Amino acid sequence: MKTKLLLSFLTMSVFCQAQQIDLNGIVTIHNSKYRTGKIQYVENTQVSAAFTIPDGTDDKGTFSLTFVGLEGGTKIDLTAEKEGLQVVNSHDLSNVVIGRKDPIKVAMDTKGRLAQSQTEFYNISKKALYAEYERKMSILEKDGEEKDQLLTKLSEEWNQDIKEKNEAIEELKKQLADAEKRLPEFAKDLAYVNLDFAADFYIEAFELFKAGKVRESIAFLTDAKLEQAAADAFRAIEIGKELTARGKEQVGHVIESYQLKADAYNLYFEYQKAAAVYQKIIDLLEKVDPDDSIELARAYLDLGNIYHSMGLYQKALGFKQKGTVTAENVLRKDDLELCLFYKHLAINYQDIPNLQKALETQQKSLNIQEQVLNADDGAIAVSYTVLAGIYRDMGQYETALETQQKAVAIQEKIATLDDKELADSYSSLSSIYQFLGDLEKSLTFQLKVIDIQEKILDPNDPKLGTAYNNLGTTYLDLEDFDNAMIAAKKSLAIREKVLPANHPLLAHSHNLIALVYMSTGDFENALIEQQKDIYITEQTLNYNHPDLAYSYTNLSTLHYYMGNLQEAIKTQQKATKIAESVFEPDHPQLEVFFASLASFYQFDKDYTNAVIFYKKMVEINPNQPNIWNTIGSCYANIKEYEKAILNYNEFYRRDSTNRWAWLNNTGLVYAKMGNFKKAKKHFSELQELRPEDGFVYRDWAMYYALQGKKKKALDNLEKAVQLGYTKLSWISTDDSLDSIRGEDRYKKVINQLEASEDN
């Protein structure tokens, strides 16, 4: 009995000593005061968290959660629910520190209103973005001092040496595409700002922005005004007590204003100014709260993205890494916002490029999405598409295909027939099939792209021109030259209407038309089109651009077909040098350049250089038996017989189905080495495998000629020709037959073959 009483007493003691901490808060309608002039409190909102009893808000919107047994400073997650409403500032409810002095503010709004606001701000921002784009394009299209000043300004803002109009136009188009991708995030940030608690100067700037007066909004938020507001806020913080919370809130107002200003600079492509503002945001956040916060993580990411837009990839990487680490420290491991950090970090790795890191980082984003989202969510499809692009860049085409197919499977379930993202995925799928050599499937998906884009795009939209160019390329690969030419000329017609005369995309169209002409044997017209391609490409792109490498390769092929081998070699050397500077050493696309140059060297009988580039091919992909065989032949031609044997053996090791070819080639080399015993063994087995093939008896003719056995050599040479062997060039030039060249029977064989060639 005493034992039970003692236990009860001890238990009571524990309860009496347990710490009790209250977390207070208030729930209001988002921007209610801004819209109506009066804050609207939300009654009967159910607020809950782990380790406490839920509480409902009163008519003043207030709630209080009591935590027992938890230490002050512990972080918990809150949820707030009321029928018909959604939480706006959900991230403010994550990792809430219990024991905080200031009440937590929960903003709610009618379901759907937030999405409407985001759409409104997206449209305002897009209009401002395109207006500035058109303004700059108009200036660049004219000659004069204003254009020169703009080129100088763009060089400074983008940290690039931009000297020519076309270079600026191409970069401006790229920057427009990148900026447009960021607009949804920008619009979301604007929609989430709670104007009921914002500073007056922010609200005034916001009103200007909302009215489309973006430049006036920037001008209103002067550095002097914001720096003074920040100084006042920090003085309040230093005084302490009840002023500390108010001071921190004021700092938050200043940061919101800087954020609006930086984002507005982005809309004008003024990246240096935006970067300077983002750095001020970081400085303020680090000063007001030295601990990690999601706001600081976002600021690091914003600055990283600006440096990325400026092409400063390493500098951008540093800030994106800091942002990601900070976000990982303050967010749950399955928080969807982490996906945003991982996505931007992966893009940075892809552009450096560090494709393995890009892959690992994007996979982290996908892992979170697959844990949290429905399997058919469009965000997962977008992640799959990003992953597929990384795999494609790595040359892992099978994995890229499998990944892109997952994206398409999701999008086909949720997309309308004119869905732009679905068209983009079809285009990606088509390109992957093309890399894999499945041209029919590539064509199928390219036609789907055309079908969608013809419905949703203007007839002269450059994207439609690109789609027709891709379609023409696929038809060309399928050797459907008529349809290839039709598609290529459609592409050119669209692009000539809407693009400057020396735009790189026009070069792509001329290149495709040149390839079609080349494929049909019309080399003169092919040369005209290829020279147009080269002229534009050299004017508008950097020397180390892959497009220029491909154009030079096509030109070198034309030179070869037109009988100018030396010019072909010279041009292909240029192409290969560029390709090696652009692609990773093990990238599959390098094989295209190496193969062309090696072949030209081989045709020129420069076997030493041919071997160098054939070897580079097998370093990328060793499982190419025929290349090992070709390397062996090159060594044989320069009388490096031991190396020839080694490479012929490697060929046979990788393709034992072609034993007859291995016997033939090694037998020839053994004979030339004077190892007639091995040569006879190989030729005898070869004759058993291919008794009616003329080349077998050509081998025997060589075998006997090298030993001075002229009659047997001539008998076998005549039999080789009787069985259909017709390679006059080999018989008339190979030094192994020198011992019988003066014989009448040999001359008769030569005359017979020459007569056959004439007929």
Side-chain angles (χ1 to χ4, degrees):
M1 187 68 176
K2 288 181 180 179
T3 305
K4 290 182 179 179
L5 286 172
L6 180 59
L7 182 58
S8 299
F9 175 76
L10 289 173
T11 305
M12 188 182 303
S13 298
V14 172
F15 286 151
C16 291
Q17 293 171 2
Q19 188 177 13
Q20 177 176 308
I21 303 175
D22 291 334
L23 176 66
N24 301 315
I26 185 170
V27 182
T28 63
I29 292 295
H30 185 62
N31 288 340
S32 55
K33 181 181 178 182
Y34 173 74
R35 287 195 294 261
T36 68
K38 183 179 180 181
I39 291 181
Q40 182 181 345
Y41 301 103
V42 184
E43 190 177 2
N44 296 325
T45 300
Q46 189 76 358
V47 183
S48 59
F51 313 113
T52 187
I53 299 172
D55 190 24
T57 56
D58 58 20
D59 59 351
K60 296 296 184 182
T62 63
F63 66 88
S64 182
L65 300 179
T66 300
F67 296 86
V68 178
L70 293 183
E71 295 289 334
T74 302
K75 294 180 179 180
I76 53 91
D77 294 339
L78 295 180
T79 60
E81 297 176 316
K82 183 175 175 65
E83 187 176 355
L85 300 181
Q86 66 180 109
V87 175
V88 175
N89 58 332
S90 55
H91 274 298
D92 291 339
L93 308 190
S94 297
N95 295 308
V96 177
V97 177
I98 64 173
R100 56 187 282 165
K101 293 180 180 179
D102 50 320
I104 185 162
K105 295 173 182 175
V106 181
M108 304 190 80
D109 211 341
T110 305
K111 288 183 178 178
R113 180 179 284 176
L114 194 61
Q116 291 175 358
S117 296
Q118 289 181 46
T119 302
E120 179 185 2
F121 290 124
Y122 176 84
N123 291 332
I124 292 169
S125 303
K126 185 174 181 179
K127 184 177 179 180
L129 176 68
Y130 271 82
E132 182 64 14
Y133 168 77
E134 294 295 342
R135 188 185 73 84
K136 283 182 166 62
M137 286 290 284
S138 176
I139 295 171
L140 290 171
E141 291 294 349
K142 301 173 185 176
D143 290 327
E145 185 178 349
E146 190 178 13
K147 185 192 78 173
D148 295 338
Q149 289 174 348
L150 180 57
L151 289 174
T152 301
K153 183 178 180 181
L154 293 179
S155 295
E156 293 172 355
E157 289 293 339
W158 297 345
N159 193 49
Q160 297 183 37
D161 185 17
I162 299 175
K163 296 179 179 178
E164 298 293 334
K165 174 187 77 173
N166 293 316
E167 189 178 354
I169 289 174
E170 181 64 20
E171 184 61 26
L172 185 59
K173 288 179 181 291
K174 176 179 176 293
Q175 296 294 349
L176 175 68
D178 289 344
E180 194 169 359
K181 290 176 184 176
R182 294 194 297 270
L183 285 184
E185 293 174 24
F186 178 34
K188 181 179 177 182
D189 290 342
L190 282 174
Y192 275 50
V193 173
N194 196 336
L195 298 169
D196 292 347
F197 303 102
D200 290 340
F201 53 79
Y202 178 89
I203 294 174
E204 192 164 345
F206 176 87
E207 289 289 353
L208 289 169
F209 185 96
K210 191 175 179 182
K213 300 177 180 180
V214 179
R215 186 65 76 180
E216 290 90 333
S217 176
I218 293 173
F220 179 77
L221 294 171
T222 64
D223 285 345
K225 183 180 296 182
L226 296 179
E227 287 167 5
Q228 183 60 54
D232 292 343
F234 280 111
R235 274 196 296 272
I237 293 172
E238 289 169 3
I239 293 172
K241 296 183 181 180
E242 69 276 2
L243 292 179
T244 298
R246 188 183 304 171
K248 287 185 176 181
E249 187 173 332
Q250 289 173 346
V251 172
H253 297 331
V254 175
I255 289 171
E256 287 175 346
S257 300
Y258 274 132
Q259 184 72 48
L260 179 62
K261 188 173 183 177
D263 289 340
Y265 276 134
N266 273 330
L267 296 178
Y268 288 116
F269 308 101
E270 296 178 1
Y271 299 139
Q272 290 280 10
K273 292 176 182 176
V277 176
Y278 283 130
Q279 186 60 60
K280 289 181 179 181
I281 293 173
I282 290 172
D283 293 342
L284 286 173
L285 287 168
E286 290 178 335
K287 185 176 180 181
V288 74
D289 188 358
D291 295 330
D292 288 342
S293 67
I294 190 60
E295 289 78 16
L296 182 59
R298 292 168 185 160
Y300 285 141
L301 178 60
D302 286 337
L303 185 54
N305 283 333
I306 286 297
Y307 284 130
H308 189 272
S309 296
M310 294 166 67
L312 300 172
Y313 297 138
Q314 289 297 339
K315 198 168 185 178
L317 180 64
F319 282 102
K320 289 184 183 182
Q321 287 173 329
K322 287 177 76 173
T324 302
V325 170
T326 303
E328 287 175 331
N329 289 339
V330 299
L331 298 176
R332 295 189 310 273
K333 291 183 179 180
D334 62 349
D335 194 303
L336 283 171
E337 186 166 1
L338 276 175
C339 299
L340 183 66
F341 289 89
Y342 291 140
K343 182 185 81 170
H344 286 292
L345 187 57
I347 290 170
N348 211 127
Y349 280 129
Q350 199 169 359
D351 285 338
I352 287 176
N354 185 334
L355 296 177
Q356 187 58 44
K357 277 285 189 182
L359 181 65
E360 293 169 3
T361 306
Q362 185 58 34
Q363 189 63 58
K364 288 182 180 180
S365 176
L366 180 60
N367 290 343
I368 293 172
Q369 290 173 326
E370 289 180 329
Q371 288 178 47
V372 177
L373 300 174
N374 292 329
D376 292 338
D377 194 288
I380 293 179
V382 172
S383 282
Y384 279 137
T385 296
V386 174
L387 272 179
I390 296 170
Y391 282 126
R392 185 181 61 228
D393 289 349
M394 295 174 76
Q396 297 182 24
Y397 302 126
E398 291 287 354
T399 309
L401 175 62
E402 180 183 344
T403 308
Q404 190 62 58
Q405 285 173 330
K406 290 179 180 179
V408 169
I410 294 172
Q411 290 170 327
E412 286 181 332
K413 292 179 183 178
I414 62 176
T416 59
L417 291 176
D418 63 351
D419 190 284
K420 176 185 175 296
E421 287 186 352
L422 182 58
D424 291 343
S425 286
Y426 283 153
S427 182
S428 177
L429 205 52
S430 173
S431 70
I432 295 169
Y433 275 124
Q434 201 156 22
F435 280 119
L436 288 168
D438 193 337
L439 301 178
E440 293 292 346
K441 285 186 178 177
S442 177
L443 177 63
T444 297
F445 284 99
Q446 197 56 52
L447 289 171
K448 287 185 176 184
V449 173
I450 295 284
D451 184 56
I452 293 174
Q453 292 190 336
E454 283 182 334
K455 293 174 183 175
I456 65 174
L457 299 177
D458 181 87
N460 293 325
D461 193 297
K463 290 180 181 177
L464 196 54
T466 298
Y468 277 120
N469 197 80
N470 294 340
L471 181 64
T473 302
T474 306
Y475 277 128
L476 176 63
D477 290 339
L478 285 165
E479 299 185 2
D480 185 347
F481 302 126
D482 289 340
N483 276 322
M485 185 63 81
I486 290 169
K489 288 187 174 180
K490 278 187 178 181
S491 171
L492 180 62
I494 292 170
R495 287 169 168 175
E496 284 181 331
K497 288 179 183 177
V498 297
L499 298 175
N502 53 358
H503 193 281
L505 291 179
L506 286 172
H508 291 180
S509 293
H510 287 303
N511 177 66
L512 177 57
I513 293 172
L515 289 173
V516 178
Y517 278 131
M518 194 192 314
S519 300
T520 56
D522 188 348
F523 300 131
E524 294 297 332
N525 276 319
L527 184 60
I528 292 170
E529 294 294 329
Q530 197 65 60
Q531 286 172 335
K532 289 179 181 178
D533 164 32
I534 295 283
Y535 176 77
I536 295 172
T537 305
E538 286 181 335
Q539 272 195 321
T540 57
L541 298 180
N542 294 329
Y543 178 76
N544 289 336
H545 196 286
D547 282 0
L548 191 57
Y550 288 118
S551 294
Y552 281 143
T553 290
N554 294 339
L555 183 60
S556 71
T557 304
L558 258 176
H559 284 312
Y560 171 72
Y561 284 144
M562 297 177 79
N564 193 342
L565 180 57
Q566 293 308 312
E567 195 63 32
I569 292 172
K570 182 180 176 182
T571 307
Q572 190 57 38
Q573 285 172 334
K574 284 184 183 180
T576 305
K577 183 178 180 181
I578 295 170
E580 287 185 301
S581 72
V582 171
F583 295 109
E584 290 292 319
D586 60 349
H587 197 288
Q589 284 299 301
L590 280 175
E591 292 184 58
V592 175
F593 301 95
F594 295 155
S596 292
L597 187 54
S599 298
F600 292 151
Y601 279 133
Q602 191 174 2
F603 296 147
D604 197 39
K605 295 183 170 32
D606 184 352
Y607 299 113
T608 301
N609 274 319
V611 164
I612 290 171
F613 288 95
Y614 282 131
K615 280 187 172 182
K616 288 187 176 187
M617 290 180 67
V618 294
E619 285 173 7
I620 296 172
N621 180 11
N623 194 27
Q624 300 185 83
N626 289 335
I627 303 301
W628 291 104
N629 192 52
T630 303
I631 294 172
S633 297
C634 289
Y635 276 127
N637 280 312
I638 55 178
K639 302 185 186 305
E640 292 193 31
Y641 296 130
E642 294 291 346
K643 291 180 180 179
I645 292 293
L646 287 173
N647 282 278
Y648 285 142
N649 288 344
E650 187 64 23
F651 153 70
Y652 180 60
R653 186 179 75 81
R654 294 178 181 276
D655 184 10
S656 59
T657 62
N658 279 326
R659 184 170 178 80
W660 67 270
W662 173 73
L663 290 168
N664 175 73
N665 294 335
T666 51
L668 290 170
V669 172
Y670 281 132
K672 290 186 177 185
M673 292 172 70
N675 190 338
F676 297 113
K677 182 177 180 180
K678 278 192 175 181
K680 183 177 183 179
K681 180 181 178 182
H682 283 223
F683 289 156
S684 297
E685 185 179 344
L686 179 61
Q687 187 171 352
E688 291 177 7
L689 292 174
R690 310 289 284 268
E692 299 301 321
D693 280 348
F695 74 86
V696 176
Y697 298 93
R698 176 215 61 183
D699 291 352
W700 283 118
M702 183 206 73
Y703 172 81
Y704 287 118
L706 286 169
Q707 297 178 73
K709 299 177 181 180
K710 296 181 180 180
K711 182 177 182 306
K712 286 188 175 183
L714 290 165
D715 289 344
N716 280 281
L717 184 61
E718 289 169 345
K719 187 167 184 178
V721 174
Q722 290 171 10
L723 291 174
Y725 186 79
T726 59
K727 290 187 178 179
L728 175 61
S729 60
W730 191 93
I731 293 175
S732 59
T733 60
D734 194 276
D735 59 6
S736 59
L737 298 180
D738 284 352
S739 66
I740 60 173
R741 293 201 197 284
E743 301 295 320
D744 291 339
R745 290 171 66 188
Y746 172 84
K747 294 175 183 177
K748 185 177 178 181
V749 168
I750 295 297
N751 291 334
Q752 181 182 342
L753 290 175
E754 288 176 341
S756 298
E757 282 191 351
D758 292 339
N759 294 332

